Each structure stands twice: as C-alpha cells, then as structure tokens.
C-alpha cells in the first residue's frame, strides 16, 4: 500500500505543477479540471486539508466561469471530502455549504418540524434514507438534536 501512496503522492505533485502552468498560460477551466483531479488524488492519499483546498479552488474558478455542470460536479466532490463538523469559527460560512443536496433537503424539513416519516414522504426515498441523511447532517453540522439543527439554520447564512 505504501507503494501506491508513493505513486499517488507523485501524481499529486504532477497535478499541482500542471495547475500552476495552466494558470500561468491563462487556461482557467483546464486549471479547475486539474484541481478536481488533484482533490481526488489528495482524498485517496488521505491529505484532507489539501484535498478540500483543491476542491475549493476548482469550485471558485468554475463558479466564476459560470460552468454550471462542472460546478455541480465540484460541489459533489467537495461534499464527499467534507467530514469535519461545522465549527463556531465558521459562522460566516453558510450551513448549506457543509451538506449534500439530500442532506440540505432533510435538514430543511427537520427545521420545519417534520418527523422522519413526514420527511420520507417528500423527495427522500424512504425512512431509512432520510434517517441516514439526517445522521450525516448531525455530524457535519456538529448538532446533537433537531432543536440544535434549527438553531444553526436560523443563525447562519444560507448559500
């Protein structure tokens, strides 16, 4: 496994160099696509902070360029990499940026007072799916109750 990690580390270095060269050459979309690949490699290596940074940089470039389908893909990749709970110092970061689309939907319904069965009647496909999304949202938001989720939603900006 250490051999594979070494190869992945070399791949990450190569991708970083390519991103720098693409930025200098004035190819922002190619730079962003390279950043997505770099984030994936960093995630495989287990380098969490550089992984999130690569996805954030790519997302910033793609959003600025108006590349909506690429933005959606970058957000999905970023969401897969994001495991840290919402911290108090992140008060200016929208709570919704920490969650996937399904988790955002479940959390919004929870804040409205919906039960797990009522949530399952919505866009989520079943009680267990809704419960799993809610469990992930609790962890990501650092919440311990439905009331706490509601407080987070009410006190922080949305995206």
């Amino acid at each position: 496994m250490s051999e594979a990690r070494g190869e992945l580390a070399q791949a990450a270095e190569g991708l970083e160099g390519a991103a720098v060269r693409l930025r200098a050459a004035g190819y922002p979309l190619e730079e962003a696509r390279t950043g997505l690949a770099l984030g994936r490699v960093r995630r495989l290596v287990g380098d969490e902070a550089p992984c999130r940074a690569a996805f954030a940089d790519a997302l910033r470039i793609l959003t600025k360029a108006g590349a909506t389908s690429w933005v959606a893909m970058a957000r999905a990749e970023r969401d897969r990499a994001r495991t840290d709970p919402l911290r108090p110092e992140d008060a200016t970061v929208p709570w919704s940026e920490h969650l996937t689309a399904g988790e955002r939907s479940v959390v919004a319904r929870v804040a409205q007072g919906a039960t797990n069965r009522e949530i399952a009647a919505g866009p989520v496909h079943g009680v267990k799916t809704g419960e799993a999304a809610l469990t992930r949202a609790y962890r990501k938001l650092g919440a311990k109750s439905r009331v706490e989720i509601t407080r987070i939603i009410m006190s922080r900006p949305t995206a």
Side-chain angles (χ1 to χ4, degrees), residues 89-112:
E89 61 269 18
D90 292 339
T92 59
V93 176
W95 63 267
S96 58
E97 287 295 311
H98 290 268
L99 306 176
T100 65
E103 292 162 355
R104 284 191 296 270
S105 172
V106 168
V107 164
R109 299 277 294 146
V110 164
Q112 294 169 348

Side-chain angles (χ1 to χ4, degrees), residues 54-135:
F55 288 138
D57 289 344
L59 185 57
R60 178 184 46 76
I61 294 167
L62 294 166
T63 300
K64 184 177 179 181
T68 54
S69 59
W70 282 96
V71 166
M73 184 174 25
R75 281 189 176 143
E77 291 284 354
R78 180 205 54 202
D79 291 346
R80 272 189 224 119
R82 186 173 274 155
T83 57
D84 292 340
L86 193 62
R87 296 177 304 274
E89 61 269 18
D90 292 339
T92 59
V93 176
W95 63 267
S96 58
E97 287 295 311
H98 290 268
L99 306 176
T100 65
E103 292 162 355
R104 284 191 296 270
S105 172
V106 168
V107 164
R109 299 277 294 146
V110 164
Q112 294 169 348
T115 66
N116 287 356
R117 289 196 186 279
E118 291 170 335
I119 292 168
V124 178
H125 305 288
V127 174
K128 293 291 184 189
T129 304
E131 288 172 349
L134 184 56
T135 298

